């Protein structure tokens, strides 16, 4: 497993979770029918999205060795996906964070706040595209596959929707229509995650270099993935239970979300553990 890459494991999972949750809450702000008071409480709770994003960025600087190296990494925006990842990740943080701050303080016009909200959502999507392309390296055949794109998107959707629901329930938001849609999306995404993981593991048998076979990189793959699936299934079950409960739903939602995040961290450690280069 790739736990030695813990800064990137935390950064990718936490950042994807933050983007997914921000987009869901952004859509609620723009198109939801919640009262202004409830929306205000939900927007206050966006603070926890920025906690996730901040922790992710802090972890990523450990991978660089020094926070100042992030400035040097911006030197190749025209040619480097890493530079673009840093740029658009910072833009997402800036647009979304400024929206949150102005909304909490009730400063700026509604038009300005909505513009920042939409800008943050768009930057979040571009940030995810850039992050994915960082790992689509043709000399790393275990990463340069559609499964990288699928797994990153699954994390953003699954943990992002679950976190957004936690923040909504914490703000007292309850909507049967939303619960049905969110519950369906999470359950379907869970099924897709299982199918994608099985297909990814199966594809490893056809990847090898002159010195190692991809299937040998994580020898206890079956046990790890079964553990991950168990955490996801229990987590999603608890989270779905919170959708159906009127009282005391928040502990179920938080517990379910936490288990899924742990599962995604495990899954991402497998991803980094599969790093290999073609040839020698």
């Amino acid at each position: 497993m790739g736990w030695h890459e813990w800064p990137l494991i935390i950064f990718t999972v936490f950042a994807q979770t933050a983007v997914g949750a921000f987009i869901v809450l952004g859509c609620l702000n723009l198109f939801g029918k919640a009262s202004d008071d409830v929306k205000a409480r939900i927007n206050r709770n966006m603070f926890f999205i920025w906690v996730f994003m901040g922790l992710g960025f802090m972890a990523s600087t450990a991978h660089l060795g020094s926070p100042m190296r992030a400035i040097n990494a911006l030197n190749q925006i025209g040619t480097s996906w890493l530079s673009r990842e840093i740029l658009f990740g910072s833009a997402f943080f800036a647009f979304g964070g400024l929206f949150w701050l102005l909304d909490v303080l009730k400063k700026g016009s509604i038009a300005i706040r909505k513009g920042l909200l939409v800008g943050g959502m768009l930057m979040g999507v571009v940030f995810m595209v850039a992050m994915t392309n960082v790992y689509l390296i043709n000399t790393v055949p275990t990463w340069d596959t559609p499964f990288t794109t699928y797994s990153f998107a699954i994390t953003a959707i699954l943990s992002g929707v679950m976190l957004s629901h936690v923040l909504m329930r914490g703000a007292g938001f309850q909507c049967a229509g939303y619960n049905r849609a969110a519950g369906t999306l999470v359950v379907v995404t869970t099924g897709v995650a299982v199918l994608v993981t099985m297909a990814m593991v199966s594809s490893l048998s056809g990847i090898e270099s002159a010195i190692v076979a991809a299937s040998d990189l994580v020898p206890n793959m079956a046990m790890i993935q079964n553990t991950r699936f168990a955490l996801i299934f229990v987590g999603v079950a608890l989270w779905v239970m919170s959708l159906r409960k009127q009282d005391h739903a928040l502990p179920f939602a938080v517990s379910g979300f936490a288990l899924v995040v742990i599962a995604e961290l495990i899954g991402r450690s497998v991803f980094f553990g599969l790093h290999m280069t073609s040839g020698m």
Side-chain angles (χ1 to χ4, degrees), residues 154 158 188-198 228-229 232 264:
I154 285 168
L158 187 61
V188 170
T189 303
T190 300
V192 172
V194 173
L195 294 176
V196 166
T197 301
M198 293 173 63
R228 175 176 169 243
F229 289 154
I232 291 176
E264 290 306 283

Side-chain angles (χ1 to χ4, degrees), residues 3 24 46 77 91 99 104 110 113 117 139 159 167 171 245:
W3 289 118
V24 173
M46 277 188 181
I77 292 174
F99 159 77
V104 169
I110 293 177
R113 281 185 255 166
L117 175 62
T139 56
S159 57
L167 302 182
K245 294 175 71 68

Side-chain angles (χ1 to χ4, degrees), residues 61-178:
T61 62
H63 176 72
L64 293 171
S66 168
M68 295 306 295
R69 292 184 180 177
I71 299 175
N72 295 331
L74 286 169
N75 291 337
Q76 303 295 326
I77 292 174
T79 58
S80 169
W81 281 109
L82 176 60
S83 294
R84 296 168 190 161
E85 177 191 44
I86 296 172
L87 173 64
F88 293 121
S90 300
F92 165 67
F93 212 154
F95 276 89
L98 187 55
F99 159 77
W100 171 78
L101 183 62
L102 292 179
D103 195 84
V104 169
L105 297 177
K106 302 301 179 187
K107 300 294 184 180
S109 67
I110 293 177
I112 289 175
R113 281 185 255 166
K114 283 189 175 181
L116 289 169
L117 175 62
V118 173
M121 293 166 70
L122 292 175
M123 287 300 101
V125 172
V126 178
F127 175 36
M128 290 297 97
V129 172
M131 181 186 291
T132 302
N133 277 277
V134 167
Y135 298 98
L136 297 179
I137 308 169
N138 56 16
T139 56
V140 184
T142 45
W143 291 357
D144 191 24
T145 74
F147 299 118
T148 296
T149 303
Y150 300 155
S151 64
F152 282 20
I154 285 168
T155 300
I157 295 171
L158 187 61
S159 57
V161 171
M162 294 178 77
L163 174 58
S164 67
H165 171 69
V166 169
L167 302 182
M168 290 178 189
R169 288 308 297 256
F173 175 77
Q174 177 73 324
C175 173
Y178 164 79

Side-chain angles (χ1 to χ4, degrees), residues 192-275:
V192 172
V194 173
L195 294 176
V196 166
T197 301
M198 293 173 63
M200 181 276 293
V201 172
S202 178
S203 72
L204 295 178
S205 61
I207 301 175
E208 60 183 21
S209 69
I211 56 176
V212 66
S215 56
D216 295 333
L217 293 172
V218 184
N220 51 345
M221 177 71 79
M223 182 191 72
I224 294 170
Q225 294 295 356
N226 287 337
T227 301
R228 175 176 169 243
F229 289 154
L231 289 170
I232 291 176
F233 294 155
V234 174
V236 169
L238 289 172
W239 184 84
V240 169
M241 287 176 62
S242 76
L243 296 176
R244 301 175 180 177
K245 294 175 71 68
Q246 295 295 326
D247 300 317
H248 309 296
L250 192 57
F252 285 87
V254 172
S255 299
F257 167 68
L259 290 176
V260 168
V261 169
I262 293 171
E264 290 306 283
L265 291 171
I266 292 172
R268 198 56 45 81
S269 75
V270 171
F271 172 80
F272 285 106
L274 287 173
H275 178 271

